[in-house]
Amino acid sequence: LMDATGVSHIAVCVRDLDKSLAFYRDILGMHVTFDEIQDTTTGGLPHIYKHARQTRRTVHVRYGEGRTAPSLVLTSHPGENPDGDPIKLDQIGISHLSFTVGDVKALAAKLQAKGVELAGSMDSFTNAHGDVSTIFVYDPDGILLQFDNGGGV
C-alpha cells in the first residue's frame, strides 16, 4: 500500500489570482513561496483540463517554513475565464479547506476587523459555555474555509 507521509499541497483554481493573494497572503498571513506562469499546452497538462488552456499562473502559499509544510496552490489562467462554481458541504468534491489555529475566537475577531464575513453568525459558532472551536469563512471565490482548534470538529 501507499506509504504517504503527509499532504504536500491542495490546489484551487481561482477567478482573480491577485484578489485571492490579497486574501490568503495579506489577510490570512500566508506567504508566497512560488509564483510562475506555466505553458499548459505541453506534457500531460492538456489531458487533465476540461477546456484547452494556453497558460496558467501558479502561486504556492503556505503557513510555516520549509519544504515539509503543506502549501496551498492557487492557479488561474491569464486572459481566460474559469467556469464552475464553488461547492457546498453536501456536494461531491472537496467542499472546504480547514486550518488548525491556536485561538479560533480571536482569529474570528481579527478576520471580521479586516472585513472578512463569517459564513454564519458568531453565535452559530459559539457553544453554551461561550467557547468557539470552529468558524467558517468564504474566500473571494466563495470557497469555504474552516478554522478550528484541532479538536476534530
Side-chain angles (χ1 to χ4, degrees), residues 27 105-118 137:
I27 293 176
K105 195 172 189 177
L107 176 65
K110 288 177 185 177
L111 292 175
Q112 288 178 304
K114 291 182 178 186
V116 176
E117 187 176 344
L118 298 179
V137 303

Side-chain angles (χ1 to χ4, degrees), residues 3-61:
D3 187 22
T5 58
V7 174
S8 65
H9 70 274
I10 306 239
V12 178
C13 182
V14 299
R15 294 186 193 289
D16 182 332
L17 216 144
D18 291 325
K19 189 181 222 181
S20 291
L21 276 175
F23 179 78
Y24 286 96
R25 180 192 58 213
D26 303 339
I27 293 176
L28 297 185
M30 298 176 97
H31 60 275
V32 174
T33 61
F34 180 84
D35 188 343
E36 179 178 276
I37 301 289
Q38 301 169 327
D39 179 358
T40 57
T41 62
T42 61
L45 289 177
H47 305 290
I48 55 175
Y49 274 85
K50 183 175 181 177
H51 306 289
R53 303 287 183 180
Q54 298 302 305
T55 61
R56 76 175 173 178
R57 180 178 173 198
T58 301
V59 178
H60 297 207
V61 295

Side-chain angles (χ1 to χ4, degrees), residues 56-79:
R56 76 175 173 178
R57 180 178 173 198
T58 301
V59 178
H60 297 207
V61 295
R62 68 174 50 163
Y63 292 115
E65 299 293 331
R67 296 180 58 96
T68 60
S71 60
L72 179 61
V73 176
L74 304 172
T75 64
S76 68
H77 300 87

Side-chain angles (χ1 to χ4, degrees), residues 123-139:
D123 288 342
S124 69
F125 299 117
T126 306
N127 68 19
H129 303 289
D131 298 323
V132 178
S133 62
T134 190
I135 60 169
F136 287 88
V137 303
Y138 291 104
D139 85 348

